[in-house]
Amino acid sequence: MPNARSLLAAGLACLTALAVAAPAPAAASTPIDEKLSFTCPFPLIGKQRLDVEIKASFEVPAAPGGTFTTSDLAVSVTVPDKSTRGLALVGAASIEGTASAGVTLANGSLTLPLSLPLKVAKTAVPASGPFTTPASGSVPPVRLPNAGRTTLTIGGFSTRLTPKKADGSFTGLGSFTSDCTLDPGQDPVLLSFDLGGTPNQYRYAVTGSTALRALGASAPITGSFAAGPEFAPAFDRTSAEFKVLGFVPGRADLQFTPDGPQTGELGGGGFAAHSTLALTLPQVTLFGLPVAEAGCRASAPIPVDLRTGSGFALASGGPVTGAYAIPPLTGCGAFTAYLSSLVQSEGNGFALMLTAR
């Protein structure tokens, strides 16, 4: 059945892609746990998404001319129920095969296409429901000749799979090849780091939230963060929904931006960033009606120390937290004093997850 083979082939292609991403920007052995989603087009049933996870440890040389290596590589893909049922209908009791992926390694002026073969372990196919298919393979060491920015970018992927019956014979599907692509909105650059010469500048994608104590609400936080010789938070505009007196619905748009020098220190596998942020509230509504002018903002810069937590690694990222106080508001118009009384507070906090880019 075309849907079964396309889904499973796509999933195994994902495994290969992630396995190629094994070399990572770590000066010592560093664990990585990456999760990405991939999509394949299927006849009759349209497109399907597969979730893929890779775990590995990586070593990167401290100077140009060395090699980076990979160990403890474990890759898995979650095969959805629709594919499982398709395999069961043709009598498949197990699935096995191979996978390959193309990636591009850029090291300074060098651009090097790479390909990695993987063996897809024989995996039992249940009658229904999702199941996990593992793949493994050796990742050869790669020499990095140049100083400077080094990146590893996912390209195209292909798998060749063979479902078999319980007695070991082939199903009507035989062996087949299929391809998959990375879902949009995900950064294809899995690794990005500076090699040699100067201290590494670590760059991360940011997700998480900020808790607003006085409003009894929280707002999602997305954006980016740089740590190293330079520390640079860059948070996207967000919003928080709240209720006044327990029943009046309100909404506040929030924009945190750097204000003045941003400093910090690396150490112990993490960092402490000493940030100063300006907070603006471009729009505030009550009952859906605007109650603040466009210049509404905190009356003073907001200092916040953002510190890495347990499980954080400079090469891969992890949890980061920080507490801050919101001063009185200004520039909000006729309702400045009232809005200030709603927002001004101590004990606010960031709870962020950083992911290396």
Side-chain angles (χ1 to χ4, degrees):
M1 300 183 67
N3 61 324
R5 74 184 180 201
S6 298
L7 280 167
L8 287 173
L12 271 278
C14 299
L15 297 177
T16 307
L18 290 174
V20 177
S29 182
T30 303
I32 296 291
D33 188 342
E34 291 283 352
K35 295 179 180 179
L36 293 171
S37 65
F38 293 77
T39 294
C40 267
F42 312 121
L44 304 178
I45 63 171
K47 297 180 178 180
Q48 295 292 321
R49 166 180 156 159
L50 299 120
D51 296 319
V52 180
E53 181 176 20
I54 178 172
K55 295 181 179 181
S57 295
F58 315 111
E59 292 185 7
V60 168
T67 59
F68 60 67
T69 59
T70 305
S71 60
D72 301 326
L73 178 62
V75 189
S76 61
V77 60
T78 300
V79 179
D81 174 68
K82 185 176 290 187
S83 177
T84 304
R85 292 179 181 275
L87 287 169
L89 285 175
V90 296
S94 66
I95 187 80
E96 59 189 283
T98 60
S100 63
V103 298
T104 300
L105 173 66
N107 170 229
S109 60
L110 173 69
T111 300
L112 180 66
L114 298 174
S115 179
L116 179 72
L118 282 182
K119 180 178 180 180
V120 180
K122 183 176 181 180
T123 304
V125 177
S128 63
F131 68 97
T132 298
T133 304
S136 62
S138 61
V139 181
V142 179
R143 180 175 176 270
L144 302 179
N146 301 317
R149 175 60 55 180
T150 301
T151 59
L152 192 67
T153 305
I154 288 181
F157 323 116
S158 180
T159 58
R160 185 160 183 82
L161 300 175
T162 304
K164 293 183 178 180
K165 298 179 181 180
D167 61 4
S169 62
F170 291 98
T171 69
L173 296 178
S175 296
F176 52 86
T177 300
S178 188
D179 306 316
C180 74
T181 57
L182 184 68
D183 286 344
Q186 299 177 102
D187 191 349
V189 179
L190 294 182
L191 303 174
S192 180
F193 58 97
D194 292 312
L195 178 62
T198 59
N200 283 348
Q201 181 76 51
Y202 299 94
R203 293 177 173 84
Y204 306 94
V206 175
T207 57
S209 64
T210 182
L212 304 165
R213 183 171 175 269
L215 290 176
S218 65
I221 295 292
T222 58
S224 62
F225 194 92
E230 299 179 0
F231 288 80
F235 298 147
D236 300 328
R237 180 167 166 169
T238 186
S239 62
E241 295 184 355
F242 58 93
K243 290 187 178 181
V244 179
L245 302 177
F247 67 94
V248 178
R251 178 187 175 95
D253 287 357
L254 308 167
Q255 179 71 69
F256 293 93
T257 56
D259 188 341
Q262 310 291 306
T263 63
E265 307 89 28
L266 299 177
F271 65 79
H274 312 302
S275 299
T276 304
L277 304 175
L279 172 61
T280 59
L281 290 80
Q283 184 174 359
V284 183
T285 62
L286 294 176
F287 278 124
L289 301 175
V291 293
E293 295 183 359
C296 189
R297 64 190 186 280
S299 59
I302 297 174
V304 54
D305 286 345
L306 295 169
R307 299 181 181 275
T308 56
S310 176
F312 187 92
L314 287 170
S316 56
V320 171
T321 58
Y324 64 95
I326 299 177
L329 302 184
T330 187
C332 304
F335 293 96
T336 295
Y338 178 67
L339 294 177
S340 185
S341 71
L342 293 179
V343 176
Q344 181 182 356
S345 60
E346 297 183 355
N348 307 289
F350 288 107
L352 308 177
M353 182 61 66
L354 274 53
T355 303
R357 303 183 65 171

